[in-house]
Amino acid sequence: MAASSKTLIDLFQPAKRLKLSDPSKPLHSVSLSVSSSNSDVSSTLTAEQKSRIELNKFLAKSKRNIKICTEKVSQSKAEGSGYVKLEELLVEATWLEALPGELQKSYAKNLCKFVESEICGGNVPIYPPQHLIFNALNSTPFDRVKAVIIGQDPYHGPGQAMGLSFSVPEGVKIPSSLVNIFKELKQDLGCSIPSHGNLEKWAVQGVVLLNTVLTVRSHQANSHAKKGWEQFTDSVIRTISQKKKGVVFLLWGNSAQQKSRLIDETKHHTLKAAHPSGLSANKGFFGCRHFSRTNQLLEQVGVPPIDWQL
């Protein structure tokens, strides 16, 4: 009974205060001490560890943006529509701020109608999947942009396109252009050839992997060219040129090099070479050393280089 009474008494005792190691210290100094301790932990991390933490942080943000778009598409299918307006699929806030109202312009409204009719027509699959159409922007926040690699239109085979130029999901055969990119990377920086072609690690480090056209019909290259996408992606390139400084643009092939007219070369760097496709890689892509040169240019202005190793 005594033990039981003691328990009841204990229940009604005032809560015990936490003891400070030094009662004379005010609470805010304890808080500062904890903060200082965290700072000490941070200062003991190596540059490689800090870089990995930052990479994981932005990978998580990219996946969160993809998840938001995926949920929008799932909801539209549940409601019987199966289509999400383009303007609702660009969800990265930094780009919405950098491109205010771009997808409300008249050309973009016509583009939206065209893409909707293609997706809802249902006769031919459209790539990439809707939730990945703006993956290049949703994966690379505007304030993180360090470099831009410009492609043409998405891969048009099933399962290939993922909204990042030259990139394919893990498990998909690596296309010849990307094989050649990896060969040049090995020659240039000694990077080992990866077993997959997913370039999202580059994207989250600040490399905008931008196709000039963002959708395509299955097995029909350039089928969505000249429908309005070029105007949108030109605006993206122009905006980077106007609002950023010291960005490195990697322009491979004639189509990409035509975009140099949108770039202020007094503020930015353009690296030009042949396209990495099997037809032209031997005509000036191999040996261009664009990856090491990009890093050199970034380091000259105090910007952390790209870790190109996948």
Side-chain angles (χ1 to χ4, degrees), residues 174 178 182-183 185 191-199 202 308-310:
I174 302 174
L178 189 51
F182 290 158
K183 285 179 181 176
L185 258 174
C191 293
S192 58
I193 305 285
S195 60
H196 64 85
N198 186 342
L199 306 181
W202 296 358
W308 297 102
Q309 179 67 66
L310 295 174

Side-chain angles (χ1 to χ4, degrees), residues 1-309:
M1 187 70 187
S4 174
S5 301
K6 187 178 179 211
T7 305
L8 287 170
I9 291 167
D10 286 345
L11 283 172
F12 289 97
Q13 286 290 337
K16 292 181 181 176
R17 294 183 182 277
L18 288 172
K19 278 183 80 177
L20 297 174
S21 56
D22 181 355
S24 65
K25 272 190 181 180
L27 282 171
H28 75 272
S29 51
V30 175
S31 150
L32 284 172
S33 158
V34 172
S35 168
S36 166
S37 161
N38 288 340
S39 173
D40 290 343
V41 170
S42 175
S43 65
T44 62
L45 295 174
T46 65
E48 186 183 344
Q49 287 170 327
K50 288 178 182 175
S51 174
R52 197 179 305 126
I53 288 168
E54 184 180 63
L55 178 69
N56 288 336
K57 173 184 162 187
F58 284 98
L59 268 171
K61 185 177 182 184
S62 167
K63 291 185 188 304
R64 192 161 59 245
N65 282 345
I66 290 174
K67 186 181 179 186
I68 291 168
C69 294
T70 303
E71 287 171 351
K72 288 186 178 190
V73 174
S74 296
Q75 186 178 347
S76 75
K77 286 179 178 174
E79 292 169 353
S81 153
Y83 175 76
V84 180
K85 291 179 181 178
L86 287 181
E87 63 196 64
E88 294 177 21
L89 293 172
L90 178 55
V91 298
E92 171 52 44
T94 56
W95 280 106
L96 293 173
E97 187 179 338
L99 298 165
E102 190 65 33
L103 289 169
Q104 279 74 50
K105 292 181 178 177
S106 58
Y107 85 86
K109 288 181 178 177
N110 291 332
L111 170 64
C112 290
K113 286 176 187 172
F114 168 75
V115 174
E116 180 177 5
S117 68
E118 289 283 283
I119 290 173
C120 297
N123 298 324
V124 181
I126 303 303
Y127 303 132
Q130 283 184 77
H131 68 282
L132 296 176
I133 289 175
F134 289 112
N135 199 16
L137 304 184
N138 287 336
S139 291
T140 310
F142 182 73
D143 52 6
R144 294 265 297 165
V145 176
K146 299 178 183 180
V148 182
I149 297 179
I150 298 175
Q152 296 179 34
D153 66 338
Y155 295 123
H156 51 76
Q160 289 182 303
M162 58 180 294
L164 304 175
S165 61
F166 296 102
S167 181
V168 292
E170 293 183 34
V172 173
K173 183 182 176 184
I174 302 174
S176 61
S177 292
L178 189 51
V179 168
N180 289 334
I181 288 170
F182 290 158
K183 285 179 181 176
E184 175 60 21
L185 258 174
K186 184 177 183 181
Q187 185 68 31
D188 185 9
L189 288 170
C191 293
S192 58
I193 305 285
S195 60
H196 64 85
N198 186 342
L199 306 181
E200 68 178 351
K201 182 183 171 185
W202 296 358
V204 299
Q205 289 182 81
V207 183
V208 182
L209 297 166
L210 184 71
N211 283 317
T212 54
V213 173
L214 300 189
T215 53
V216 69
R217 285 183 199 150
S218 176
H219 299 301
Q220 296 180 44
N222 293 312
S223 49
H224 284 187
K226 299 180 181 176
K227 303 295 183 182
W229 277 127
E230 294 89 346
Q231 197 167 337
F232 175 77
T233 53
D234 279 1
S235 180
V236 170
I237 295 166
R238 194 182 295 110
T239 297
I240 294 171
S241 176
Q242 290 171 352
K243 297 184 178 181
K244 304 283 290 182
K245 191 175 181 182
V247 174
V248 184
F249 291 83
L250 291 80
L251 308 177
W252 300 332
N254 293 332
S255 176
Q257 287 167 23
Q258 288 170 9
K259 302 301 179 182
S260 60
R261 63 188 166 78
L262 306 168
I263 303 161
D264 182 348
E265 295 190 43
T266 65
K267 292 168 59 184
H268 304 282
H269 308 281
T270 56
L271 302 179
K272 298 176 183 178
H275 194 275
S277 74
L279 298 172
S280 56
N282 286 311
K283 299 176 182 175
F285 178 75
F286 290 137
C288 69
R289 300 186 66 85
H290 278 185
F291 305 102
S292 60
R293 289 176 67 192
T294 295
N295 282 352
Q296 287 162 6
L297 291 166
L298 293 174
E299 288 177 313
Q300 282 171 13
V301 291
V303 175
I306 308 296
D307 176 8
W308 297 102
Q309 179 67 66

